[in-house]
Amino acid sequence: MSSATSSTGRHRKAKPMSLAVRRAFIVAAVPVTGALLSAPSALAADKSTKATTTAQSVTADGLDPAEQRIAENLNTRAQSPNLGDTFSGIVLDSASDKVVWGHDADTALMPASNAKLATATAALTVLGPEHRFTTKVVYGDGTLTLIGGGDRMLTTADLTELAKTAAAGVKLGGLDSVKVRIDDSLFPEPTLATGWNDSYYDDQVSPVRSLVVDGKLSADTSIDAGKVFAQQLADQGVTVDGEVTRGTASATDVPVGQHLSPTLSETIKKMLKKSDNDIAETVLRMTALGAGRPATYEDGTAVVRDVLSRHYGVSMTNFEIHDGSGLSRADRIPARTVADILDLLTDPRYRGLLRSIDEGLPVAGEAGSTLGPEWGRFDTPDSQCAVGQVKAKTGTLTGAIALSGLTKAEDGRWKVFSFIENQSSADPAATKDTLDGLAATVNGCWA
């Protein structure tokens, strides 16, 4: 395994922000409180004090002693046969942007769910962290229509409140029965993304619609939500005539009620902690709409590329995505690009806007996240010493395993890392253990 230990930065130049984005920054620039190992303020301090922090004692090749140990130990651990022959990795120093270590860092591989980092960054930039999605109920011609607004956090309890409001209105109008219809026309008819196959609908993701309740995985989340709403109406004493149907609300229909989702920040945090594919695909479409484009895979991913390149100066060389979740087997992103996206979290200009990404990253050993003990993560001698010290986004597909995140190294400086493996013949669990060990190495623990 070769290593890149040049102290030269990557010369990423941030592009000028549009007026809308600048306004979003102003709105979003609030103080950051301390989540577990989530310290954007400390990261920002690293960035803002480059002139002093880079004056430390360094070795001849530009690395300080702690970084030299990282590079040497990664060279050793990256020899593991669990990584196979197709492996891309990089470690950056967040303050100086220098490359501490790298191996085929510009090789574009299947990123799996690491692609969600790109989706989250674009969504927060276009829509803003405080954006909320609206689910509505309208009435017309004897029919109550439940209108989907892209809220992936909608619950049965939320629909119950909407049903109570709607039932009160129906009764006030002297009616005791209505028809129920769902309107999910905000998104086009669901299709498979490039690189998807039908089997994904069994257990990986639902056909992407703008209406869903309780995050249910099903063939028709909109009709399912309509049925829950109809049942809640019945519980309020309103008879529902016939089956729930699909249609488009009329412009003359009367508003009856609406529900606002949690903020986009909260949605993003859940998406990353759980690696929720359905949230990612819905957020991708809402981002496209927010940018004035149709709610499609193609337009959503075009917005992602535009935001990353124009607003943040992230290179799109060898960058190819076809969905928001990373399920596509046609997606390709180099480890260097994933690291560059994560490195935005360490920039004080963006900490208010993007902090929910930082807070949403699973922490090593955090139960309930994709790095929790229930998934067998950070539980080997190579990685146990880094429990609570590494935060990273996981990624898993057949033939693709990734782990990219941040950790504070022995020199007290934040390091950004990305490790992506494709097509290893090893047991996937063993490959994950190896990647956990690499992340632990960046932290500085060495069993």
Side-chain angles (χ1 to χ4, degrees), residues 44-176:
D46 277 354
K47 284 283 187 185
S48 63
T49 58
K50 279 185 183 179
T52 56
T53 57
T54 55
Q56 299 177 42
S57 172
V58 295
T59 58
D61 57 6
L63 302 184
D64 68 35
E67 291 169 338
Q68 187 65 49
R69 282 192 293 275
I70 290 172
E72 291 172 354
N73 290 339
L74 283 175
N75 279 338
T76 298
R77 278 189 170 162
Q79 297 290 334
S80 171
N82 293 332
L83 297 179
D85 297 324
T86 310
F87 171 67
S88 178
I90 192 168
V91 178
L92 309 173
D93 178 75
S94 71
S96 65
D97 284 346
K98 68 182 172 184
V99 176
V100 174
W101 180 88
H103 174 79
D104 289 347
D106 295 308
T107 299
L109 300 178
M110 280 189 289
S113 284
N114 274 204
K116 292 182 175 74
L117 296 167
T119 302
T121 302
L124 289 164
T125 304
V126 171
L127 299 173
E130 300 305 310
H131 186 84
R132 298 174 187 266
F133 307 112
T134 306
T135 303
K136 301 177 182 178
V137 178
V138 298
Y139 174 82
D141 195 25
T143 300
L144 284 172
T145 303
L146 180 65
I147 305 174
D151 178 9
R152 288 294 317 187
M153 307 280 271
L154 189 71
T155 66
T156 293
D158 299 329
L159 289 184
T160 299
E161 292 305 309
L162 279 175
K164 287 179 180 178
T165 302
V170 166
K171 292 174 182 177
L172 189 63
L175 301 175
D176 58 9

Side-chain angles (χ1 to χ4, degrees), residues 270-309:
K270 181 177 180 180
M271 178 185 82
L272 296 175
K273 288 287 186 191
K274 303 289 188 180
S275 201
D276 191 301
N277 297 319
D278 291 293
I279 292 178
E281 298 304 339
T282 298
V283 165
L284 181 75
R285 280 160 177 70
M286 297 307 293
T287 301
L289 291 172
R293 303 180 67 144
T296 64
Y297 295 110
E298 294 78 12
D299 286 278
T301 53
V303 172
V304 171
R305 288 190 295 272
D306 184 63
V307 168
L308 291 176
S309 60

